[in-house]
Amino acid sequence: MWALFLLKILSAAVLVTAQGPPAVGGGCTTNSFNIPSWFITDFKDLVDDERKVAFGILNRATNYTAQATCGIDRKGYNLCSVSGQSAPGNGTVEIKALVEGTVAQVSVNQTWSCNDRGTPVQFTASGRARISLYDVPEPEVSSTFPPLLIQGTLHAPVFITPDRAAGPQGHDQKGCQAASEKPEWNITHIYYTDRPADGNVESPSRTFNLLFTNTANGYEGGCVHGSLVGPAGETSLICAGSEFGNLRGSRYAISTTASFDPSDFKFTVRQTWFCDDENPSKPLQFTASASTILPLTCTTTPLSAGSAINETVCDRNPTLVLAGKVDSATTLPPYSLTEPIPRDNTCTITSILAPKWQFSAFEIVYTPEKEEWEAINFEIILATYSGFQYPIPVTVSRAAGREGGWFECVIGADGANDQPLWPYACLVQFNPETKELKLKADWQCRELDGDQPVNFSGLTTTTIKSDFTCETFRDMEVCVTEDTGFVWTADIGGVVWRSVPQSTP
């Protein structure tokens, strides 16, 4: 089983290397869709002639900053006075606060406009957060108050609450930070082989594998080297673990480097990981290392019957506890471990700002006794950042006619893809003489908010600017584009959308 596990994690490492991280945006529009949120800073609990609270606010999508002062003598939320920058794009900001016992609550509702993508987009977002007054320092040292994150919900142009990233494994596991001060790894399934050359068939080779668990955060992984060819000496290993597959990519990932020296069985590991279990506004990055001589048990057997050349196999089944030392502990930006990387041109952003379909593999099927087409086939995908997805096949049969000369699509299997970029329903009109194709399509985007996807609908009218070549197969004539790799894009017009809350089981 351990060998299978190593194979899986190393395959995952190859996959992630090939894909790379999501495209990083960072402009006003991109950030407004991805991270609508605010920081509350320098919170003060003031008692003068009347009870007040005061604090700074930062819109993290636009970098808008202001100061808010809120009288809290009345019950319920009290409207705050706001001073500072004008909200971008003639926007508005409304901040309210209340205090109940030892808890303060802050509510923010803000509108702003972004025009960095060529198309002005109006945003509206709101959010609220609770503050324990026990955590608020005296007014003269309010700068020591750590930033408080208010996660926002977008109300326009779409109604979503963008997901946070999962963050590196174990970052919020209870005790992560405390245990990281005395780092430790559990090492298991250590396996080493030394197979000399037999002079005729095989080349010399050495193999080495092990599994490890970081006891501070529960992170599991493995290190492997498939062929330690050449003189014995320290050799770098390939290490990987369960840091892959996060839908909304985290800014930080656990990394492990290691080496093994077959001459004396010395194993060295160096790992970087992250903790924010004690305070998400003060996440820590730990880097630690350890080294030991592995206490392996070895056996030597002939390579084959009668052979004078022996193969050495070494292993250790009991868990080996490897204590390390902290090389560095670095404080990272507030709440950054679960901050998703803002992505440009995602499904939602493209569908609102510049929606296009990409068509390919277009094919027309005729029957000899009929002048009209019998079926058309093509592949389609939303022309956007795809996450390495692929087009989906669509088949339209003349037998599936609907009112107004429209024909219903049959959309191919999606392979249970988590983030499809294809229609889930469509209707088609096609004129083979003019090569004009009309497509009414419905599609869904849920890459920003998995619990609140957005349904889109739009109409595309396009002309296939390619000649066709035809061949007869039995009683069917099949016509395809002369260039079988012909691909084109077409605008989607009249796009409308609505958010669709997911029902809970």
Side-chain angles (χ1 to χ4, degrees), residues 175-194:
C176 179
Q177 181 173 325
S180 296
E181 295 172 1
K182 294 182 178 180
E184 214 173 58
W185 293 269
N186 290 334
I187 310 296
T188 61
H189 296 92
I190 308 169
Y191 188 78
Y192 168 67
T193 64
D194 182 359

Side-chain angles (χ1 to χ4, degrees), residues 30-99:
T30 297
N31 287 341
S32 297
F33 276 109
N34 282 267
I35 53 168
S37 54
W38 300 265
F39 275 155
I40 297 296
T41 59
D42 299 339
F43 192 93
K44 303 180 184 72
D45 184 10
L46 305 175
V47 182
D48 295 323
D49 295 336
E50 60 176 335
R51 182 86 179 274
K52 297 178 182 179
V53 294
F55 49 87
I57 187 166
L58 166 67
N59 183 315
R60 303 184 60 247
T62 65
N63 288 324
Y64 163 86
T65 60
Q67 296 294 318
T69 303
C70 320
I72 54 174
D73 285 341
R74 296 191 305 272
K75 290 183 178 181
Y77 276 100
N78 292 260
L79 189 63
C80 305
S81 63
V82 180
S83 61
Q85 296 178 337
S86 298
N90 297 317
T92 61
V93 59
E94 180 183 84
I95 303 174
K96 296 180 180 180
L98 68 80
V99 171

Side-chain angles (χ1 to χ4, degrees), residues 434-478:
T434 62
K435 303 177 189 174
E436 182 183 80
L437 175 73
K438 290 186 177 181
L439 176 74
K440 287 181 180 179
D442 302 323
W443 68 102
Q444 185 179 90
C445 298
R446 56 177 183 265
E447 83 288 357
L448 296 179
D449 184 350
D451 294 327
Q452 186 102 353
V454 183
N455 281 0
F456 292 87
S457 300
L459 172 66
T460 297
T461 301
T462 182
T463 300
I464 306 168
K465 296 179 180 180
S466 171
D467 292 329
F468 285 81
T469 59
C470 302
E471 292 186 26
T472 300
F473 298 92
R474 297 183 180 178
D475 60 343
M476 296 289 183
E477 185 179 36
V478 179

Side-chain angles (χ1 to χ4, degrees), residues 249-289:
S250 174
R251 297 173 182 270
Y252 302 96
I254 296 171
S255 62
T256 309
T257 59
S259 64
F260 175 68
D261 190 337
S263 65
D264 59 3
F265 297 166
K266 182 180 180 180
F267 172 71
T268 301
V269 63
R270 179 179 173 89
Q271 190 173 74
T272 297
W273 68 94
F274 310 87
C275 300
D276 63 356
D277 57 306
E278 294 189 7
N279 189 347
S281 70
K282 295 182 179 179
L284 290 173
Q285 172 182 295
F286 289 93
T287 298
S289 58

Side-chain angles (χ1 to χ4, degrees), residues 220-361:
E220 296 179 339
C223 297
V224 61
H225 203 303
S227 182
L228 304 169
V229 180
E234 187 175 21
T235 304
S236 296
L237 305 174
I238 301 171
C239 302
S242 53
E243 63 268 33
F244 310 113
N246 181 14
L247 178 61
R248 299 209 67 196
S250 174
R251 297 173 182 270
Y252 302 96
I254 296 171
S255 62
T256 309
T257 59
S259 64
F260 175 68
D261 190 337
S263 65
D264 59 3
F265 297 166
K266 182 180 180 180
F267 172 71
T268 301
V269 63
R270 179 179 173 89
Q271 190 173 74
T272 297
W273 68 94
F274 310 87
C275 300
D276 63 356
D277 57 306
E278 294 189 7
N279 189 347
S281 70
K282 295 182 179 179
L284 290 173
Q285 172 182 295
F286 289 93
T287 298
S289 58
S291 184
T292 189
I293 302 298
L294 297 175
L296 302 182
T297 301
C298 301
T299 58
T300 300
T301 57
L303 279 177
S304 58
S307 173
I309 299 176
N310 295 323
E311 176 184 31
T312 301
V313 177
C314 306
D315 61 10
R316 177 184 171 87
N317 287 323
T319 299
L320 173 67
V321 178
L322 179 58
K325 63 179 181 66
V326 176
D327 299 323
S328 65
T330 306
T331 302
L332 300 175
Y335 305 96
S336 57
L337 295 189
T338 56
E339 181 85 345
I341 299 173
R343 294 178 295 171
D344 278 324
N345 303 322
T346 66
C347 180
T348 301
I349 297 175
T350 296
S351 297
I352 292 174
L353 297 183
K356 299 175 185 288
W357 290 119
Q358 177 182 289
F359 296 90
S360 57

Side-chain angles (χ1 to χ4, degrees), residues 148-167:
L148 175 69
L149 175 67
I150 299 181
Q151 176 69 14
T153 293
L154 275 181
H155 299 273
V158 289
F159 182 66
I160 56 173
T161 303
D163 298 325
R164 300 284 291 176

